[in-house]
Amino acid sequence: MSTRESVLTDRRTPGTAGDVLRQVAVISAFCFMLIASLTGSGVFGGPSVDELQDGALSAEGSYLAPAGPAFSIWSVIYVGLAAYTIWQALPSQRANPRQRSLGWLIAGSMVLNGLWLVIARFGSLVGTVLAIVGLLIVLAIWFQRAVVTRSDGWLDALLIDGVSGLHFGWVTVATVANTAAWLTAIAPPEWELAADVWGIVMLVLVGIIALGIAGAGGWRIAPALAIAWGLSWIAVGRLAGEPHSAPIGITAVIVAAVVLIVSLAGAAITRAADVRNAGA
């Protein structure tokens, strides 16, 4: 029996109580994340995210903070997670082996997303670092499992592979920015003299990690798009905003371009090879 036939056979089964519990958990996790997002953004009153923690999480909180418009990518990620939440709740997805492998991880990522916002508002800055590192680990596992499990159609690929890639890529940049904000808050003033050097080192490291993710992920383009997006807005923040740093801004532009160009080339070569192999 082929992989696709196996998936279709599983879909015809009613599923187990554990499958239903997973579907409910994903829905609950999304609701929690949404409520936490609205609370954290100040919709229900109080300061917005960039005003929390004495402004440490704002676009001017550190030398590696992206400019404000960068965070609009969360809207795309949230829409993707909302669509996934609805789709995975369908009876046809209840016993899907891929949902069984990934559903709990996706629910965990949404809980950690919401938890970060709760900690940012009511907890400490170091707590936000711990939360986002935990989120990054969960997303890395989600992305790795998505790579090794075969998608079943374009919708599956979009809502699992595409959303995981964007989420993973963006949180990779956000983890660096969040950590830099914490270090900026606790560091003595003289550390600022070495800010350009350490900023450049961290950006180069992000670029290496991004290419590693792209290669390990079969040159899926979504993580690279999100990372290049974040790096580009770090460049805007340092070249046109405060704190100003031309070296960090220029490095961010270069690293973003390298990540995007290499990833697109890798994706094109991989797809061409797939076409040749299919026609052989």
Side-chain angles (χ1 to χ4, degrees):
M1 181 181 293
S2 68
T3 302
R4 182 173 178 80
E5 288 172 341
S6 176
V7 170
L8 291 174
T9 299
D10 285 329
R11 283 183 177 181
R12 287 193 288 266
T13 64
T16 65
D19 291 325
V20 176
L21 180 61
R22 184 198 68 244
Q23 291 177 306
V24 173
V26 171
I27 295 170
S28 301
F30 178 79
C31 291
F32 169 73
M33 180 184 71
L34 187 60
I35 293 170
S37 175
L38 294 173
T39 302
S41 62
V43 171
F44 299 137
S48 59
V49 173
D50 60 356
E51 297 172 311
L52 298 175
Q53 301 294 333
D54 297 323
L57 300 171
S58 71
E60 299 178 353
S62 77
Y63 281 89
L64 294 178
F71 298 94
S72 61
I73 194 174
W74 276 122
S75 298
V76 178
I77 294 170
Y78 274 43
V79 168
L81 290 172
Y84 169 79
T85 299
I86 296 170
W87 174 65
Q88 66 84 39
L90 298 175
S92 63
Q93 297 300 314
R94 185 166 299 155
N96 188 324
R98 207 167 194 230
Q99 300 292 0
R100 286 172 170 169
S101 175
L102 297 168
W104 287 105
L105 284 169
I106 298 172
S109 73
M110 292 192 284
V111 169
L112 286 168
N113 252 322
L115 185 61
W116 184 91
L117 288 159
V118 171
I119 293 173
R121 179 168 290 275
F122 302 109
S124 64
L125 193 54
V126 67
T128 65
V129 174
L130 295 175
I132 203 168
V133 169
L135 173 59
L136 182 65
I137 292 171
V138 170
L139 289 172
I141 298 171
W142 170 9
F143 182 72
Q144 185 272 335
R145 286 195 188 177
V147 169
V148 300
T149 57
R150 186 176 179 181
S151 63
D152 180 34
W154 69 269
L155 189 59
D156 186 308
L158 176 65
L159 297 182
I160 291 181
D161 301 89
V163 174
S164 71
L166 286 178
H167 204 172
F168 185 30
W170 169 248
V171 171
T172 298
V173 176
T175 300
V176 173
N178 199 162
T179 304
W182 169 57
L183 292 174
T184 300
I186 66 172
E190 56 267 23
W191 281 23
E192 189 172 5
L193 298 174
D196 286 348
V197 173
W198 284 110
I200 291 170
V201 169
M202 289 306 301
L203 290 174
V204 171
L205 182 59
V206 168
I208 294 171
I209 292 172
L211 294 178
I213 292 171
W219 298 104
R220 286 166 169 78
I221 198 61
L225 289 174
I227 291 173
W229 169 269
L231 291 172
S232 298
W233 284 107
I234 289 175
V236 171
R238 299 295 71 78
L239 295 174
E242 295 295 335
H244 181 80
S245 172
I248 290 177
I250 293 171
T251 302
V253 170
I254 294 171
V255 174
V258 170
V259 167
L260 199 55
I261 291 170
V262 173
S263 297
L264 286 171
I269 292 170
T270 300
R271 301 301 175 266
D274 290 342
V275 170
R276 285 197 303 270
N277 292 335

